[in-house]
Amino acid sequence: MAAQVGQWSVPIDFNNVPVHLSLLPTGKILYFGRRDDPKVSVNGTMDQQYTRAFVWEPEQFSWDPAMKMSRAKPNDDKPGRSQPTANQPMNSQNKETVNLFCSGHCFLPDGNLLIVGGHFRDGLGIDQACTYNPWTNKFTPQTPMNGGRWYPSALTLPNGKVMVMSGSVKDNAPYQPNNVSQIWTSDPAKPWGEVISALTAGGPQALALYPRIHLIPTGRVFMCGPNPQSWFLDVKDANGADIKTRIQDGPNIREVTGRWVDAKAPRPGGDGQRPSNEVAFINLNDNQPQWSQGPNMAKFRRQFNATILPDGTVFVNGGTQGPGFNDLDEFAIHQSELFDPYEKDPATGKLGRWSNMAPETFDRCYHGTSLLLPDGRVLSAGGGEWPGGRPQDCLTLAQFFEPPYLHKPDPRPLITAVPPNTITYCQNFTITLGAADPPIKQVSWIRLGSVTHCRNMNQSFLWLDTFKQSGTSLTIKAPDNPNVSPPGHYMLFVLSAKRIPSIGKIIQILPAIGNKPKRLAGPSGPSQEPTQVTAPTPNIQPSPDQANAHLTALKGYPPPVTIGITPLCPYGLGPCWAGAYEGLSNISDIEVVCPVSNQSDATASVYLTSDITLPDIEKWREEFSRTVNASYKMRGIELTLSGVVAKTGDKLVLVETGREELTLGPFTKESQVRWDNERSAPKGVTKEEMGAYTRLDAEMKKHSGGKFQVQATGTLQKQAAMDGGKFLLEIVEFDVAILKSRPKGSGAFKRDPKAPRLSNQSTGRQSGLMPCVRRDLSGWERVDLDAKDEADGITPQPTGAMPPPPTIPAPSNN
C-alpha cells in the first residue's frame, strides 16, 4: 500500500514549534518559532522580544532502506532533540535581542541565510536584517532596512542580491504594508538599494503580506498572489542594464530601481464562500502569460503546503476546509495529495493527475511547514501559535512523509561522489554512481528549501537534460541560466527509468570569472562571518499623517465614503489590507481607493465617480465579493452628503438636485460601521451620536420656513423591496453650513470658514482621513490653488516636496 500512497512516520518532538524551517548547506536544519514554551496558554506570552533558534540533524531520525521506514538511532529516545544556535540574533542599532518570528528568509550564494523583518506585535514588524552562518552556527546583525517588515518576502536574484518586498511596519506608518521594496546588496558602502515604490503610477497600490514572488526565465520578478491580479517587476531593461529612476524628494534626489508592469493575467479560483480546491497554471515562457484552469485537488484547502519532490511531482499536505481563517478539528484536512504533471488524468485524458496520499496524524494548518530533505522525505512540522489558538494546537510534534518512490521494490540509484568544489554555469561536471546502479534516465536540481507560513519563498526545480553516462561516471551539464537557477546551493538527484530518485547531494553553483567561481553577496569562505555594517537606512515611506497633508492638493473631491471592512485575517485591516484594496478597486462606482486603510476602526476611504449620487451597497457587496472570495466582509457604508432638510410627514428628508429624496433616521448601535479589533465587534455608540437626529429635528424647528441647508454624515441603508427599496441615511453628525457651488451630482462641498458651526454635534469623524491618490497620479503633484482655497487655509506645496510631519498621535493597540 505504501508503494501507492506513501507512508507517514511516527512523530518526533522538537524543542519548539518550527514555524520557520530551513535546510542548510551542511545538511542540517535550522528552525525557530514564536516563543520559548508553546505548551502554555497563548495569553501574555506571544510577544517575546528574543529568538530561540535550534539546529537539528536528520541523521537522528533517518530513512532506513532495509526496513522501509524512518527510525531513530539505536538507544535514542528523543530523536527530535536539537542544539541551540551559538548565539541569539540581535539588532545592529543598540544590540538588543530580536524576535525573528514572521520574518522572511532566503539563502545567499555563499550558503548563509539572510533573515529580514520579524515580530514586535501581531501586525507590527521590525526593521532588522541578519545573516545566519551554517558553519559557525552564529547570527550576525546587518544594516537595518528602511522600515519594519512583518510577513515580508525575500527572493534571491540572478546576480546573488536579494529582493525584499512588503511586510507591515511598526513605526512611522504602523500596521500598514511597507510598499517600498529593497534590494540587499551586501556592499558595506550601500547595503540596501531602493526599489521603485508600489504606489507609483502603474504599480500595485497595496502590497499583500508575504507576496508570492518568483523569478522567471527572462529575469523578471513575477508576483502572483495572494491577490488575484498578477504583476511583473522589471529590474533590468532589454539590454541587461539596471532600470534606474531619479526621484525628487524635497531637497534630496533618490535613485530607485525597477518598473512595475501589469501582467494582465488575473488568477482564477474560489467560489467566494469557502477555501477552494481549484488549481491554476501559467506558462511564464510565453510572451503574454495567461492563467488557465487545471485539474482540481480532491480537497478544499487553505493554510496548506505544496512541496516539489525530486521526481517532479508536487506533494500537498495540511490545511483547513472551514470557512474561518484557521478552523481546526473537524475542518482540518489530514488527507494529503500528490500532483503528477507527467501522468494523464483518467477523467479528462490530459496530462496532470491528482492522487490521494496517506493521511497525516495532526491538524497541520496555519504556521505549518513542509521541507524536502536530501533523502527524498518531506518533513512536516509546525502549526498553531496564533491569537485565539489553544495550547494543544501549538505543535512541536513533527512527522516525515515517505513518498511512494521510497517504498517501491526497485533499486534506488546511488551517488557516491560529486565535485568537491563549486561548479559554474554551463560547466560539464562529473559525478560517480554506484556500481550496481540501473541506467540513469533523469537528473533533477532543486534549491535548498527555506519555508515559513505555508510557503517556500525560493522553491525552484529544474531538469538537467544534458548528461551522458559511462559506467559509473555521469557527466552533467550545469544550468546555463541564473534566472531559473540563481547562484547558491542545490540538491542534485539522479533518477532511474522507474522515476526512483537517489539520495540528493548538495552542490553549490556560482558564475565564473575566468576559471574560478565568482563570489557573490557573501564571504570568501564558509568559515567566515558576513561583513557587519551598521550605516542607517533612511525610511522614505511617508506616514499616513504625512501623506494626508497632500489631500489639500487634490481638487474636486467630495468628502470620502467610509467603508467598514472585516478581514478574515485575524490581525486587522491594516496589515491585511491589500486584498480589500483590490476588491474595492473593482467596484464600478469607485474612482479612487485610498491606498492606506484605517487599522484602528477597520475602515477604508474611497471616492466615487462623478455620476454616482447614492451608492448601492448590495451591488457593492456583490462586486467586492467577486474579487475577495469571502476573505473580507463589507460591513457597511458611511458617507457625507449635503442638501436641504425638509420634513415629510413625521420624517426628515434630505433633498438635493439630481438625487432622489433621501430619508433621514437616527443612528443606532446597528448603524455602526467602525470596528473594535480587540472585541471583534462594532465599536460602541455614544449618546451624542445616537442623538444627532433629534438635535437636527430640533434645529429645524428654529428655522423659519422649515428648510435649511445641511451637511450630514451617517450610515447608508437600503430599505427592503416591500418598503420601496429606498435609501435611508442614519445620521451620526451634521453641520449647518453655507455651501458653495460644486460639480453637479458629485456631492462635493467647500465649507465657508465664516459660517457658524454647531459645536455640540461635531465628532470629528472626517479628521482621520487616510491619504489617497488618483489611480493615474505618480508621486506628489503640484496643484494650483485659487484665492478661495488660500482663504480656506489651503497652502500649496512645491512639486515633489514633502511637508513637515504633523504631530503624530500614539498608535492604537487595536
Side-chain angles (χ1 to χ4, degrees), residues 538-669:
N539 188 325
I540 45 74
Q541 174 163 295
S543 70
D545 287 303
Q546 289 173 320
N548 185 46
H550 290 279
L551 276 172
T552 56
L554 301 177
K555 294 182 63 175
Y557 282 127
V561 174
T562 299
I563 305 175
I565 298 175
T566 305
L568 188 65
C569 157
Y571 303 117
L573 185 60
C576 307
W577 162 237
Y581 176 89
E582 189 165 324
L584 293 173
S585 299
N586 289 327
I587 294 176
S588 55
D589 293 345
I590 294 177
E591 179 186 0
V592 174
V593 181
C594 296
V596 181
S597 67
N598 191 328
Q599 165 75 2
S600 65
D601 57 19
T603 59
S605 297
V606 302
Y607 291 84
L608 309 186
T609 55
S610 59
D611 58 342
I612 298 301
T613 56
L614 290 175
D616 187 333
I617 188 170
E618 297 308 318
K619 174 187 172 185
W620 280 26
R621 285 190 172 115
E622 179 184 350
E623 293 182 336
F624 185 66
S625 66
R626 290 177 196 165
T627 301
V628 302
N629 290 333
S631 294
Y632 302 84
K633 177 184 178 182
M634 186 182 291
R635 298 191 304 274
I637 297 174
E638 180 186 283
L639 73 166
T640 300
L641 297 171
S642 57
V644 174
V645 173
K647 199 155 191 175
T648 303
D650 61 347
K651 296 181 179 180
L652 296 180
V653 295
L654 190 65
V655 181
E656 171 71 2
T657 303
R659 185 182 69 215
E660 65 180 272
E661 185 179 274
L662 179 64
T663 302
L664 302 181
F667 193 80
T668 67
K669 293 179 180 179

Side-chain angles (χ1 to χ4, degrees), residues 527-811:
S527 62
Q528 298 184 20
E529 296 295 331
T531 302
Q532 179 178 334
V533 285
T534 57
T537 301
N539 188 325
I540 45 74
Q541 174 163 295
S543 70
D545 287 303
Q546 289 173 320
N548 185 46
H550 290 279
L551 276 172
T552 56
L554 301 177
K555 294 182 63 175
Y557 282 127
V561 174
T562 299
I563 305 175
I565 298 175
T566 305
L568 188 65
C569 157
Y571 303 117
L573 185 60
C576 307
W577 162 237
Y581 176 89
E582 189 165 324
L584 293 173
S585 299
N586 289 327
I587 294 176
S588 55
D589 293 345
I590 294 177
E591 179 186 0
V592 174
V593 181
C594 296
V596 181
S597 67
N598 191 328
Q599 165 75 2
S600 65
D601 57 19
T603 59
S605 297
V606 302
Y607 291 84
L608 309 186
T609 55
S610 59
D611 58 342
I612 298 301
T613 56
L614 290 175
D616 187 333
I617 188 170
E618 297 308 318
K619 174 187 172 185
W620 280 26
R621 285 190 172 115
E622 179 184 350
E623 293 182 336
F624 185 66
S625 66
R626 290 177 196 165
T627 301
V628 302
N629 290 333
S631 294
Y632 302 84
K633 177 184 178 182
M634 186 182 291
R635 298 191 304 274
I637 297 174
E638 180 186 283
L639 73 166
T640 300
L641 297 171
S642 57
V644 174
V645 173
K647 199 155 191 175
T648 303
D650 61 347
K651 296 181 179 180
L652 296 180
V653 295
L654 190 65
V655 181
E656 171 71 2
T657 303
R659 185 182 69 215
E660 65 180 272
E661 185 179 274
L662 179 64
T663 302
L664 302 181
F667 193 80
T668 67
K669 293 179 180 179
E670 289 71 29
S671 308
Q672 181 64 277
V673 301
R674 297 168 191 269
W675 194 251
D676 187 324
N677 291 311
E678 290 188 357
R679 293 174 48 243
S680 294
K683 286 190 172 180
V685 179
T686 66
K687 291 182 179 179
E688 182 182 36
E689 291 172 329
M690 291 190 291
Y693 179 86
T694 301
R695 292 195 305 274
L696 179 60
D697 190 26
E699 185 68 25
M700 184 177 181
K701 295 175 181 177
K702 299 178 184 179
H703 286 69
S704 59
K707 296 181 179 180
F708 63 99
Q709 289 181 309
V710 69
Q711 170 194 320
T713 298
T715 300
L716 188 70
Q717 307 284 8
K718 190 174 184 181
Q719 296 174 321
M722 65 179 66
D723 298 323
K726 293 185 177 182
F727 288 101
L728 170 69
L729 186 69
E730 298 168 338
I731 64 169
V732 67
E733 68 176 14
F734 66 94
D735 193 10
V736 176
I738 300 173
L739 303 178
K740 299 181 180 180
S741 60
R742 57 192 178 276
K744 182 179 180 181
S746 69
F749 73 95
K750 291 182 180 178
R751 184 179 183 278
D752 188 334
K754 298 180 181 179
R757 175 180 292 275
L758 299 180
S759 60
N760 67 338
Q761 75 265 21
S762 176
T763 59
R765 296 173 79 85
Q766 297 298 334
S767 65
L769 297 182
M770 292 295 98
C772 61
V773 294
R774 292 186 185 273
R775 291 174 184 168
D776 59 350
L777 292 182
S778 176
W780 307 113
E781 243 183 32
R782 178 189 177 92
V783 176
D784 295 322
L785 304 176
D786 56 25
K788 295 178 181 179
D789 292 320
E790 297 194 19
D792 283 348
I794 300 175
T795 305
Q797 297 288 336
T799 301
M802 287 287 293
T807 301
I808 301 175

